[in-house]
Amino acid sequence: MKQYKVIISGGGTGGHIFPAISIANTLKKRLPDVEILFVGAEDRMEMEKVPAAGYPIIGLPVKGFDRTHLFHNIKVIQCLLKSLGLAKRTIQEFRPDIAVGVGGYASGPTLWMASSLGIPTLIQEQNSYAGVTNKLLAKKADRICVAYEGMEKFFPKDKIVITGNPVRQDLEEAIGKREEALRFFGLDPMKKTLLVVGGSLGARTINHSIQGDLDKLFASDVQVIWQTGRYYQEEALAHLKAYRGMPIWCSDFITRMDYAYAAADLVISRAGAGSISELCILKKPAILVPSPNVAEDHQTKNALALANQDAAVMVRDAEAKAMLVETALSLIQDDAKLASLSENIHKMAHFHSAEQIVDEIVRIIERK
């Protein structure tokens, strides 16, 4: 049997990288001889996370379009042209059977080049609102794996398959480990636990909303697991000095995200597609604070897709400082509302997403 070769491209944030690694791991399980090469953006976190997961990666000098400083885009265009050349060379040398794009800067040049060299492509669109890059790539793609209904308004209907977004494999195993998880964080099993996450780099608004209302949290009977992200930890710890004895675990990164979810009665999170997929599978009641700094405001659209089904509570970024902590404290004490949010978000879960995406990858390669 021929040894298959697969390029997986994309990244930029954990929300793109973890699903990509999940697809790679599932491919390896299905086809132990498969050769996988990642293509990422050279200064982003995939350059560290992908090798840590055991896969080789090539970095492109690609950058995001700067909507505020338009002349910065001269440099962006130069980087794009350089990236297209490097992507072309990589594809010609590696000779993949298929190129898979998971979103993020690097997937554009890689999939564009793969298509023009006659290599089949598969796109994984995580959001409920498709980005510009994926809309352009869709014209030549063989398959488009999506997580939401109604995506035919962006893509050719005959190419779409609903698979959901792959999540980190260890997360599902944590369900039912609440006591063990609370012990890990040094927290009390008799108290309600609020989990606050702002992504790997952190979310300024969420962090500042928590900092600004530490008095209310301190006065409540709620304990907190607070992941600040890399850029906000020092500031958060400085604020916490005045609240000695407060039941709060605070760090820039959570190594055991499975435990963090298992411990949580309520989660405050951005509305990235990956986070939402995790919350759906784990049945976690959530307050979503969409980031306003993402292309086409897709996080607001992701959050509304849940809020409209009464599957999550949405607090807009601009309103978070005034109402986020208050909303969380009243919601976490309302057991009936928590239970209904948990049921409704679970109805939106897609299981075995990575397996379904791998089914499509194998089908395309074998058809070729």
Side-chain angles (χ1 to χ4, degrees):
M1 183 178 156
K2 178 183 179 294
Q3 181 192 27
Y4 292 146
K5 289 180 160 197
V6 178
I7 278 182
I8 299 177
S9 182
T13 64
H16 288 125
I17 298 159
F18 295 125
I21 290 170
S22 186
I23 292 167
N25 292 343
T26 307
L27 258 171
K28 268 271 184 237
K29 215 181 283 176
R30 179 90 54 95
L31 305 166
D33 289 340
V34 70
E35 202 179 327
I36 298 169
L37 176 66
F38 276 78
V39 178
E42 64 185 12
D43 56 351
R44 307 293 291 206
M45 66 188 275
E46 55 266 29
M47 300 310 291
E48 170 196 326
K49 298 283 180 205
V50 168
Y55 296 102
I57 184 165
I58 283 175
L60 303 181
V62 63
K63 294 192 178 333
F65 192 73
D66 191 332
R67 288 172 170 75
T68 37
H69 309 95
L70 290 176
F71 10 73
H72 288 186
N73 293 313
I74 296 168
K75 180 97 166 66
V76 171
I77 289 162
Q78 289 169 340
C79 289
L80 176 62
L81 294 172
K82 204 169 154 193
S83 297
L84 283 163
L86 193 54
K88 183 177 184 179
R89 197 167 78 224
T90 302
I91 290 161
Q92 286 172 331
E93 286 171 6
F94 185 68
R95 299 174 64 191
D97 296 287
I98 188 170
V100 177
V102 294
Y105 304 143
S107 64
T110 310
L111 265 73
W112 186 265
M113 264 305 153
S115 298
S116 53
L117 293 168
I119 307 290
T121 60
L122 177 143
I123 295 170
Q124 199 242 330
E125 172 56 72
Q126 300 184 348
N127 295 296
S128 61
Y129 191 89
V132 175
T133 308
N134 277 353
K135 283 191 265 190
L136 289 170
L137 296 171
K139 294 180 175 70
K140 291 184 172 178
D142 293 69
R143 227 21 174 175
I144 302 157
C145 296
V146 301
Y148 292 89
E149 305 278 347
M151 297 300 284
E152 54 280 350
K153 59 179 177 279
F154 306 110
F155 301 131
K157 195 175 178 179
D158 58 331
K159 293 183 178 183
I160 294 174
V161 54
I162 296 182
T163 57
N165 292 322
V167 302
R168 290 172 268 189
Q169 274 113 331
D170 59 333
L171 294 181
E172 292 175 66
E173 291 152 24
I175 302 172
K177 290 186 181 170
R178 183 172 181 270
E179 302 241 333
E180 192 180 314
L182 288 164
R183 265 201 309 279
F184 177 82
F185 293 106
L187 297 173
D188 181 348
M190 304 312 289
K191 287 186 174 178
K192 290 277 180 81
T193 304
L194 175 66
L195 168 63
V196 182
V197 277
S200 45
L201 302 174
R204 180 188 291 138
T205 304
I206 292 178
N207 285 319
H208 287 175
S209 303
I210 298 295
Q211 275 166 213
D213 269 345
L214 281 169
D215 283 347
K216 287 179 187 159
L217 288 163
F218 189 60
S220 76
D221 200 27
V222 170
Q223 54 196 3
V224 183
I225 297 169
W226 181 12
Q227 184 224 315
T228 61
R230 191 184 303 163
Y231 299 142
Y232 301 98
Q233 189 189 13
E234 280 179 33
E235 196 184 335
L237 293 174
H239 275 77
L240 283 171
K241 280 186 180 144
Y243 297 91
R244 294 200 189 285
M246 183 176 176
I248 185 162
W249 182 96
C250 176
S251 179
D252 63 331
F253 188 73
I254 299 175
T255 52
R256 292 296 303 264
M257 203 59 209
D258 55 337
Y259 277 169
Y261 280 130
D265 295 287
L266 176 66
V267 181
I268 292 175
S269 170
R270 283 301 200 196
S275 304
I276 287 180
S277 298
E278 292 174 356
L279 294 166
C280 290
I281 282 176
L282 300 172
K283 292 181 79 167
K284 286 292 159 183
I287 297 175
L288 300 172
V289 185
S291 169
N293 313 315
V294 292
E296 289 128 291
D297 198 22
H298 66 243
Q299 285 206 5
T300 299
K301 293 166 179 116
N302 291 346
L304 283 169
L306 271 74
N308 292 340
Q309 302 287 323
D310 198 25
V313 171
M314 180 172 108
V315 171
R316 289 187 184 275
D317 193 84
E319 297 163 351
K321 280 188 192 166
M323 60 185 286
L324 181 59
V325 169
E326 217 148 279
T327 305
L329 288 174
S330 73
L331 180 54
I332 203 166
Q333 302 300 355
D334 185 343
D335 290 337
K337 181 68 175 165
L338 290 177
S340 91
L341 285 171
S342 172
E343 283 310 307
N344 292 343
I345 200 168
H346 198 53
K347 286 176 194 159
M348 301 181 84
H350 291 280
F351 293 90
H352 312 299
S353 298
E355 284 82 355
Q356 289 180 57
I357 292 167
V358 168
D359 288 343
E360 297 299 331
I361 291 170
V362 171
R363 219 168 271 147
I364 291 167
I365 296 175
E366 288 180 347
R367 199 170 63 223
K368 191 190 81 159

